Amino acid sequence: MRTQVRLTLLFVVIVTLVLGISGSYTQYTLSRDLEADSARLRTGVLTRLQTSLPSALWDLDKSKVDSIVAAEMLPPELIAIRVYDASVGLFAGEMRDASGALHPLLIDLAIAGTPIEAPLVFRDAMASSGARPVIVGKVIVNFSGEQIDAALRSEVRRKVMEVLLLDIILVAALALSLRIIFRPLRQLRDGLFDLATRGSDEVEELPETRRDELGDVIRGFNAVQRKLKSIIFRTREAEDAARRSQHEMAQAMDELRLAQESLLQSERLAALGSLVAGVAHEINTPVGIALTSASVLKEATEDISAAVAGGTVRKTDIVRYLETASESARLIMNNAYRAAHLIHSFKQIAADQVSEARRLFELRDYIGEVVASLQPTVKKTRIAITIDCPSDIMFDSYPGALAQVLTNLVLNCVEHAFDADTAGTIHIGVRCDQDWIDMQVRDNGRGIAPDLIDRVFDPFVTTRRGQGGTGLGLNIVFNLIAKQFGGTITVHSTVGQGATFVLRLPRVTPLSEGKDGQGDEHDNTAR
């Protein structure tokens, strides 16, 4: 019903607009024609008066002047004609009152209308050709525009009546014609609404009695409805099967998620185990040297003690013992200090990797500790690790997670970027940009293949399948950067020229709810 009303209003507006434009043009044309007729009338009246009045006014023939004025006052557009003598003033004249009656003018009055003044020039036909024309007076004619306005108003009323009559006829015609169209459309609308809100089995088919285009639409609707019922029946069967499959898939996904979490945890524990093995191997050398030096010192001490007890000690024995004691003490001190330094670095890295405690730490020193912890693995290769980091960058974050990130990135370069006997460089560069830290881990190795670079952070993606590679190292890095640090990591690579991992981290890591609780627990434990 609303569409029918809108269509009717649209047609009425269009017709009214067209007729209005047409009427405006007609009104403009009529106004222009009337103005042209009025201009011609004014020109003709003034021309005749200027031709006939000068001789009568020269002879002071008032009766002739009155007859000329009366003859020109016949058109209703003239309100008054006043003839003035050059010497006596108002000589003759007539005016038209409101009822249209003419009256002589005996005195000069203010008269409505548009006055037009013209001089009266007398030319004596009997005089010699050298005689000059004489102005004997003037004539003032008052014209009225009321007739033009009345004609225009009449034309406007006629056009308005024409528009109203056509609108009424159009509304009646549209109401009858659109009813024939919109009645079956309403049936289709109701059928579609019932089909959308009720069960398909409850909706009845529409009657197919019409034999026109709308009847074809109704028959098409019934065919669609029958097809839809068939589709709904098959869909219900498929939904039942899908629900059963979804339940089985959910169980499989839970098992897969548990397996993935187990693999991720195993990867982190494997990295920690590798760290412990490296610590044991690296500390074994200084501890062995210190033990050997202590054993030599102990034997020398026993020998000198026996010589002192037997009374056979000599000066050379004492000098030799002092040299042995000094050298042994020096070896013990140097190697004990070396072992203590290694233990301190490894202890901090191991503690950070086991604990997720948050703290404020100096970034360059901590990167150096992480690199030192990787030396047992790196020194077996021909790879050099360089660090370019300012000394004044303080990082408020999780050092254990950062150690895990750097360890995975460096070991990924060691394992994938270089062959076993190939020399290379791994560069760790850090720059501070106000509240953000930009870190690069760059190598000059073989690079990453173009078909693999978009998937390097996906889990289980590796180029060393079957050679110990799990494909979880970079996935762990990506998750730590995105979830724990609130930062981003990207990779750029050119085959044969190495790869660059770009990390952008906030200097103060945002706290999540889970991390807040863990951080508070570790802080309370530390206190």
Side-chain angles (χ1 to χ4, degrees), residues 184 187-191 204-208 218 221-222 225:
Q187 293 178 346
L188 283 173
R189 180 201 61 191
D190 296 338
E204 298 181 357
E205 295 184 2
L206 299 179
E208 301 178 357
I218 292 175
F221 171 77
N222 290 335
Q225 182 178 347

Side-chain angles (χ1 to χ4, degrees), residues 361-364 366-368 370-371 386-390 393 395 397 401-403 405-407 409-410 427-433 436-442 477 481 485 488-492 500-506:
F361 57 95
E362 203 276 326
L363 190 56
R364 187 178 70 175
Y366 192 76
I367 294 176
V370 174
V371 171
T386 61
I387 301 173
D388 178 15
C389 177
I393 300 179
F395 195 18
S397 187
L402 181 61
V405 168
L406 292 175
T407 299
L409 289 177
V410 172
H427 177 76
I428 302 175
V430 180
R431 291 294 179 269
C432 185
D433 180 14
W436 290 85
I437 293 174
D438 294 324
M439 183 182 300
Q440 287 188 358
V441 179
R442 183 176 70 251
V477 170
I481 294 297
F485 290 100
T488 60
I489 179 172
T490 56
V491 60
H492 310 285
T500 301
F501 291 87
V502 180
L503 290 69
R504 186 168 176 82
L505 311 173

Side-chain angles (χ1 to χ4, degrees), residues 5-22:
V5 173
R6 286 197 294 267
L7 283 175
T8 303
L9 290 177
L10 178 62
F11 279 111
V12 169
V13 169
I14 292 175
V15 171
T16 303
L17 184 61
V18 171
L19 292 178
I21 294 174
S22 175

Side-chain angles (χ1 to χ4, degrees), residues 233-260:
F233 177 75
R234 292 197 299 268
T235 302
R236 288 175 179 173
E237 293 182 344
E239 287 177 350
D240 293 338
R243 277 192 290 269
R244 292 190 297 269
S245 300
Q246 184 179 6
H247 179 69
E248 297 173 357
M249 186 180 297
Q251 292 180 344
M253 286 297 296
D254 291 339
E255 295 175 359
L256 180 60
R257 190 178 300 108
L258 292 175
Q260 184 176 358

Side-chain angles (χ1 to χ4, degrees), residues 442-495:
R442 183 176 70 251
D443 66 77
N444 58 353
R446 62 170 59 95
I448 303 174
D451 60 340
L452 189 65
I453 194 168
D454 292 333
R455 300 184 294 116
V456 293
F457 296 116
D458 294 343
F460 310 112
V461 174
T462 179
T463 58
R464 303 187 64 186
R465 185 76 63 193
Q467 303 177 17
T470 62
L472 295 176
L474 292 182
N475 180 253
I476 293 175
V477 170
F478 181 84
N479 290 330
L480 288 175
I481 294 297
K483 297 178 181 179
Q484 189 156 358
F485 290 100
T488 60
I489 179 172
T490 56
V491 60
H492 310 285
S493 177
T494 301
V495 176

Side-chain angles (χ1 to χ4, degrees), residues 202-221:
E202 303 175 4
V203 181
E204 298 181 357
E205 295 184 2
L206 299 179
E208 301 178 357
T209 57
R210 300 178 65 97
R211 290 294 178 265
D212 54 7
E213 290 81 0
L214 292 175
D216 295 338
V217 174
I218 292 175
R219 284 186 287 275
F221 171 77

Side-chain angles (χ1 to χ4, degrees), residues 43-307:
T43 303
V45 169
L46 289 175
T47 301
R48 289 191 296 273
L49 289 175
Q50 285 182 309
T51 303
S52 59
L53 282 178
S55 60
L57 191 60
W58 175 265
D59 296 334
L60 298 178
D61 189 350
K62 189 174 187 305
S63 60
K64 185 177 180 180
V65 171
D66 289 338
S67 63
I68 293 173
V69 171
E72 295 296 337
M73 284 294 293
L74 292 178
E77 288 85 353
L78 274 72
I79 298 177
I81 297 178
R82 289 168 288 177
V83 180
Y84 292 88
D85 181 67
S87 57
V88 300
L90 181 64
F91 184 77
E94 283 191 1
M95 67 173 293
R96 194 186 306 275
D97 59 13
S99 63
L102 296 176
H103 302 281
L105 280 172
L106 302 178
I107 60 175
D108 200 1
L109 299 174
I111 301 174
T114 303
I116 299 178
E117 180 179 334
L120 298 176
V121 180
F122 174 73
R123 294 178 177 84
D124 190 0
M126 303 299 294
S128 62
S129 59
R132 298 177 59 185
V134 179
I135 298 177
V136 296
K138 64 179 180 179
V139 62
I140 298 178
V141 183
N142 289 75
F143 292 91
S144 174
E146 183 63 28
Q147 286 73 20
I148 297 177
D149 295 338
L152 293 176
R153 286 195 297 270
S154 176
E155 181 66 18
V156 169
R157 286 193 295 269
R158 188 183 68 82
K159 284 293 182 181
V160 170
M161 293 300 297
E162 180 181 344
V163 170
L164 291 177
L165 181 60
L166 288 176
D167 286 342
I168 293 173
I169 295 174
L170 180 63
V171 169
L174 287 174
L176 293 176
S177 59
L178 292 179
R179 184 181 301 174
I180 300 174
I181 299 175
F182 280 95
R183 182 179 296 172
L185 290 180
R186 281 195 292 270
Q187 293 178 346
L188 283 173
R189 180 201 61 191
D190 296 338
L192 290 172
F193 182 78
D194 292 340
L195 192 62
T197 57
R198 300 165 58 187
S200 60
D201 299 334
E202 303 175 4
V203 181
E204 298 181 357
E205 295 184 2
L206 299 179
E208 301 178 357
T209 57
R210 300 178 65 97
R211 290 294 178 265
D212 54 7
E213 290 81 0
L214 292 175
D216 295 338
V217 174
I218 292 175
R219 284 186 287 275
F221 171 77
N222 290 335
V224 171
Q225 182 178 347
R226 290 190 291 270
K227 183 69 174 179
L228 184 60
K229 289 180 180 179
S230 175
I231 294 174
I232 290 175
F233 177 75
R234 292 197 299 268
T235 302
R236 288 175 179 173
E237 293 182 344
E239 287 177 350
D240 293 338
R243 277 192 290 269
R244 292 190 297 269
S245 300
Q246 184 179 6
H247 179 69
E248 297 173 357
M249 186 180 297
Q251 292 180 344
M253 286 297 296
D254 291 339
E255 295 175 359
L256 180 60
R257 190 178 300 108
L258 292 175
Q260 184 176 358
E261 292 176 356
S262 177
L263 286 174
L264 292 174
Q265 186 66 21
S266 299
E267 181 73 11
R268 298 187 67 179
L269 292 177
L272 186 59
S274 176
L275 176 65
V276 172
V279 169
H281 178 77
E282 191 72 14
I283 294 179
N284 185 59
T285 299
V287 170
I289 294 174
L291 182 61
T292 301
S293 299
S295 176
V296 171
L297 180 61
K298 180 175 180 296
E299 291 178 1
T301 302
E302 290 176 352
D303 292 341
I304 197 67
S305 296

